[in-house]
Amino acid sequence: MTYYQFVQAVEDRIKEVVKGGVSVRIHTAEKNNGTVRKGITLTEQDINISPTIYLEEYYRQFQSGSSLEHITSDILRLYHEVRFQKSWGEEKINDYSHVKEKIIYRLVNYEANGKMLRNVPHISYLDLAIVFCVLLEVTKYGTATMAVRNEHLDMWGVQKEELYRQASINTSRLLPDDFCAMSAVIEELTKEPSEQQISFEEQEEDMYVLSNRIHSYGAAAILYKERMEGIGMYLKSNYYVLPSSVHEVIVIPEKAAVKKEDLSAMVAEINRTQVEAEEVLSDRAYYYDRKKGRLCM
């Protein structure tokens, strides 16, 4: 079964089992870095916010032997867990005073998102672009957001500089940063702590991970000025930042790093071989200068 046939089969099966008042459709979305994904959207009457459940991972499960019935059941289970219980009032969306406390920013690659950036307010940063969205909800499955587009600025009567000012206040508050040693991340992933494990405070680490606490578009934490300054104070040195994905970056103290060109080459190679196209942030390593108090290429 081709992917197109699989998508159609999933849509047909779900239409057979959902209750009345719920419409089912296939939604095609252009995501980060111009990647195109297909998902299934279930829309309930009188609720104007609907989750889209993307199907690429389910197709991989199908190819590995999962039945269509099992996949359909899992999609419906997930839908019932993430669905909105009530509408987000249109009057709130139209009124900046109602959304301003929920405006946050994200980081994407500038060049790879040229088409999308023509339609959204953005600010250039290094080889990246700062874009904005309204954070509607945070769940264990991720975030529900509404992208801020140029028409929203016209409707709200604000400039992109105001969005950035407000997002700079909101993002670190709503999505606090998470900074930890790479060894702690590996330990958490493997769940097999070494008997010789040394506490984070007592050991000298060469690599750290910076994200937000939900690890969704957490690379934006490099815009948290106080956190970046704090990392420099903790390391007592300048440091390199490797953009491992849109969700997190790796921090390496200057004394523990190889040449910047070699770091960039390493990031580019990992992006080509290990990172999903939609999640690539940049092929360049960045350098944080404590005296200048900023990140640079």
Side-chain angles (χ1 to χ4, degrees):
M1 184 182 291
T2 66
Y3 180 59
Y4 175 78
Q5 292 170 328
F6 170 79
V7 169
Q8 293 302 311
V10 168
E11 181 184 18
D12 292 341
R13 291 292 180 91
I14 290 181
K15 283 181 176 178
E16 291 174 1
V17 299
V18 295
K19 298 178 180 179
V22 179
S23 63
V24 181
R25 65 183 176 88
I26 297 301
H27 176 67
T28 302
E30 184 170 337
K31 306 292 281 185
N32 187 45
N33 295 333
T35 57
V36 177
R37 300 184 65 188
K38 286 186 176 295
I40 193 156
T41 300
L42 293 91
T43 305
E44 298 184 42
Q45 289 181 355
D46 302 322
I47 297 180
N48 64 354
I49 306 175
S50 305
T52 296
I53 299 172
Y54 293 101
L55 299 175
E56 287 83 0
E57 175 57 33
Y58 286 109
Y59 184 57
R60 286 191 282 269
Q61 293 178 21
F62 178 76
Q63 290 179 308
S64 298
S66 291
S67 68
L68 200 59
E69 291 75 13
H70 174 77
I71 288 171
T72 301
S73 176
D74 194 56
I75 290 172
L76 288 171
R77 175 197 58 78
L78 179 59
Y79 165 70
H80 285 295
E81 292 185 8
V82 302
R83 60 183 282 270
F84 279 78
Q85 304 294 323
K86 59 183 179 179
S87 291
W88 179 270
E90 185 175 343
E91 70 282 357
K92 291 184 178 180
I93 295 294
N94 295 343
D95 188 341
Y96 182 66
S97 66
H98 285 293
V99 300
K100 62 181 293 187
E101 299 299 324
K102 294 181 178 292
I103 299 287
I104 62 170
Y105 50 50
R106 288 176 169 176
L107 280 174
V108 299
N109 185 274
Y110 194 98
E111 183 176 357
N113 289 280
K115 180 180 177 182
M116 179 267 287
L117 293 176
R118 289 198 293 268
N119 301 309
V120 303
H122 62 277
I123 295 175
S124 299
Y125 179 71
L126 303 173
D127 60 334
L128 311 174
I130 302 170
V131 296
F132 306 94
C133 58
V134 179
L135 183 62
L136 302 175
E137 188 172 314
V138 178
T139 73
K140 63 180 179 179
Y141 297 102
T143 59
T145 61
M146 182 194 78
V148 176
R149 304 177 65 83
N150 291 334
E151 53 262 36
H152 290 117
L153 292 192
D154 296 335
M155 180 171 60
W156 294 335
V158 300
Q159 301 296 315
K160 66 181 180 181
E161 290 75 18
E162 160 61 15
L163 286 187
Y164 179 69
R165 185 194 69 78
Q166 192 63 49
S168 297
I169 297 171
N170 297 340
T171 312
S172 59
R173 173 178 59 86
L174 298 173
L175 301 172
D177 69 88
D178 181 28
F179 178 67
C180 62
M182 178 67 80
S183 61
V185 175
I186 294 173
E187 179 183 324
E188 177 64 23
L189 291 173
T190 61
K191 296 294 185 180
E192 295 178 357
S194 167
E195 293 180 0
Q196 303 298 319
Q197 181 67 32
I198 304 173
S199 70
F200 174 61
E201 291 78 9
E202 294 173 350
Q203 65 181 332
E204 185 173 347
E205 296 278 350
D206 289 339
M207 298 179 73
Y208 302 85
V209 178
L210 174 64
S211 183
N212 56 35
R213 292 185 188 172
I214 63 170
H215 293 262
S216 177
Y217 278 88
I222 65 175
L223 299 174
Y224 299 178
K225 188 174 186 295
E226 290 184 359
R227 166 47 70 192
M228 299 299 281
E229 292 175 350
I231 291 174
M233 292 176 62
Y234 176 79
L235 298 177
K236 298 182 176 64
S237 74
N238 297 336
Y239 55 89
Y240 289 97
V241 173
L242 311 186
S244 57
S245 77
V246 294
H247 303 303
E248 63 184 21
V249 300
I250 295 173
V251 172
I252 302 178
E254 184 174 23
K255 63 182 179 181
V258 297
K259 292 181 180 180
K260 186 178 179 183
E261 312 86 77
D262 295 332
L263 291 174
S264 292
M266 180 179 69
V267 171
E269 175 64 19
I270 291 174
N271 282 339
R272 283 193 297 270
T273 60
Q274 300 181 38
V275 182
E276 295 286 345
E278 184 184 338
E279 298 185 346
V280 171
L281 181 58
S282 173
D283 286 344
R284 298 189 182 186
Y286 308 126
Y287 180 75
Y288 185 83
D289 188 312
R290 295 177 68 198
K291 288 185 178 180
K292 295 180 180 179
R294 62 183 177 87
L295 205 58
C296 54
M297 290 193 290

